[in-house]
Amino acid sequence: MKPFDYRRAESPSDATDAGARIIAGGTNLLDLMKLEIERPDTLIDINRLDLKAIEETEEGGLRIGALVTNSDCAADPRIRRDYGVLARAILAGASGQLRNKATTGGNLCQRTRCGYFYDTAMPCNKRDPGSGCQAKDGFNRIHAVLGASEACIATYPGDMAVAMTALDATVEIESKGGETRIVPVADFHRLPGDTPERDNVLDPGDLITAVTLPPPPGGVHLYRKVRDRASYAFALVSVAAVVTIADGRFERVALAFGGLAHKPWRDPRVEELLTGEEPGPALFDEAAEMLLADAEGHGHNDFKIPLAWRTLRAVLTEASERGDTA
């Protein structure tokens, strides 16, 4: 591990140092530092900042501080009651020990688990821009089928952000100059394009201070995660769904997908197609066809396309059955 300086931030302005990396739980960053994928000169510990509360907003939603642990977020009675898809997504993630350390802000910033990104002997445009993407012609079973580019086919590995995308959550970001900007979670992560080394919209010196959930959307909340083993595994395909059914028809549909792209994937066209329609297999297949029209496998991950189709069908079927009995 490369030597580095370490200091504690006493205020948000202390943490907005453009030349430093921020550390909270460190569940991803420390692994990357040990492998010298991340090589910061300075670490700024933000654990003393007052960012550990979940507070109700004037609009009727919840503001989740950036230092709220995943365990505390998933266990909060208000989250469990009103934002069940978020609690389920978090609990589908890592082990209890990791959830006890991982924070809301840090979880959003976790990096891909592409094996070539982690192997410094291999070329990787995300780790070393311009070196090439070994995954395209290599072992790419967990890689993207949507939104990829010639430069990178890695996927975003998280669960929490997928649920937050379906919930229309927003990220509160404080910059080095003290300005605050609000970014939808759906727009926080970037597609790779020609700059796959940039995972998200954070600029040097930016600090995530909170995530805000809008008022509870009601309806049926589902999170289905398809993975190689029952626990402690990243999604091959995941679906976060918030669905309301009235008079036998979809009244409101919010869907977000994990494991398919470089970011949590949301396609408003699919939601618009479903809204106002009577649930049924033909409609579900039409929605899956629209979602995956531009999907492209790369050999080992070709199976993800039919898997995503079947997973979406299963989620919509369950949502419609539960909606009828709610």
Side-chain angles (χ1 to χ4, degrees), residues 206-273:
D206 281 352
L207 170 69
I208 296 175
T209 52
V211 172
T212 299
L213 302 175
V220 176
H221 289 226
L222 299 174
Y223 188 75
R224 181 169 295 215
K225 181 177 182 178
V226 182
R227 45 190 164 175
D228 284 322
R229 57 183 188 271
S231 62
Y232 313 155
F234 298 104
L236 297 170
V237 175
S238 64
V239 183
V242 181
V243 176
T244 304
I245 294 178
D247 299 324
R249 296 179 180 273
F250 287 120
E251 183 178 65
R252 180 183 182 275
V253 180
L255 299 167
F257 300 84
L260 298 182
H262 202 259
K263 60 181 290 184
W265 190 265
R266 189 169 182 180
D267 190 336
R269 301 173 307 155
V270 175
E271 297 171 7
E272 184 178 350
L273 171 71

Side-chain angles (χ1 to χ4, degrees), residues 1-325:
M1 182 184 290
K2 174 183 174 290
F4 58 90
D5 293 329
Y6 170 86
R7 66 175 188 263
R8 291 190 175 101
E10 302 295 340
S11 68
S13 61
D14 289 343
T16 54
D17 182 337
R21 289 300 307 272
I22 292 169
I23 186 167
T27 57
N28 187 206
L29 177 59
L30 290 177
D31 286 342
L32 295 172
M33 289 175 63
K34 291 173 185 176
L35 295 170
E36 295 201 354
I37 296 168
E38 296 279 0
R39 305 178 78 247
D41 293 322
T42 303
L43 281 186
I44 300 179
D45 187 334
I46 63 170
N47 282 292
R48 291 184 177 179
L49 301 185
D50 186 19
L51 302 173
K52 298 179 181 179
I54 301 178
E55 304 168 311
E56 296 178 8
T57 66
E58 293 182 357
E59 294 75 20
L62 291 177
R63 183 180 184 271
I64 305 168
L67 291 176
V68 173
T69 67
N70 285 177
S71 291
D72 286 346
C73 185
D76 187 282
R78 296 163 295 182
I79 298 288
R80 296 179 63 180
R81 181 187 66 229
D82 296 330
Y83 305 94
V85 65
L86 178 56
R88 293 183 179 95
I90 292 173
L91 294 174
S95 68
Q97 295 93 327
L98 287 173
R99 292 197 299 269
N100 288 343
K101 291 294 291 182
T103 61
T104 299
N107 191 293
L108 287 173
C109 295
Q110 64 183 301
R111 308 205 69 186
T112 184
R113 264 55 177 191
C114 171
Y116 298 106
F117 173 72
Y118 272 80
D119 186 350
T120 55
M122 292 290 182
C124 171
N125 287 323
K126 178 175 283 296
R127 177 173 27 82
D128 184 14
S131 63
C133 177
Q134 185 73 17
K136 288 187 62 180
D137 298 317
F139 185 68
N140 49 45
R141 186 171 181 274
I142 68 170
H143 288 71
V145 296
L146 290 170
S149 72
E150 288 298 311
C152 182
I153 61 170
T155 53
Y156 173 76
D159 296 284
M160 182 191 77
V162 179
M164 287 181 169
T165 297
L167 288 168
D168 294 313
T170 58
V171 186
E172 181 182 299
I173 302 168
E174 183 169 325
S175 70
K176 182 175 175 57
E179 298 86 5
T180 297
R181 70 183 191 276
I182 305 298
V183 177
V185 171
D187 297 330
F188 177 77
H189 299 95
R190 295 164 50 97
L191 292 178
D194 296 327
T195 55
E197 69 276 12
R198 292 200 63 190
D199 294 327
N200 51 56
V201 299
L202 293 177
D203 294 322
D206 281 352
L207 170 69
I208 296 175
T209 52
V211 172
T212 299
L213 302 175
V220 176
H221 289 226
L222 299 174
Y223 188 75
R224 181 169 295 215
K225 181 177 182 178
V226 182
R227 45 190 164 175
D228 284 322
R229 57 183 188 271
S231 62
Y232 313 155
F234 298 104
L236 297 170
V237 175
S238 64
V239 183
V242 181
V243 176
T244 304
I245 294 178
D247 299 324
R249 296 179 180 273
F250 287 120
E251 183 178 65
R252 180 183 182 275
V253 180
L255 299 167
F257 300 84
L260 298 182
H262 202 259
K263 60 181 290 184
W265 190 265
R266 189 169 182 180
D267 190 336
R269 301 173 307 155
V270 175
E271 297 171 7
E272 184 178 350
L273 171 71
L274 294 167
T275 302
E277 299 297 326
E278 184 177 343
L283 178 65
F284 301 162
D285 283 342
E286 187 178 355
E289 183 176 10
M290 178 177 287
L291 171 73
L292 298 164
D294 296 324
E296 179 183 2
H298 301 278
H300 297 288
N301 70 342
D302 291 349
F303 74 96
K304 278 195 175 189
I305 298 173
L307 180 61
W309 188 300
R310 293 194 299 270
T311 305
L312 176 58
R313 278 195 55 162
V315 168
L316 292 174
T317 299
E318 182 178 355
S320 60
E321 291 173 349
R322 288 182 54 181
D324 283 342
T325 60

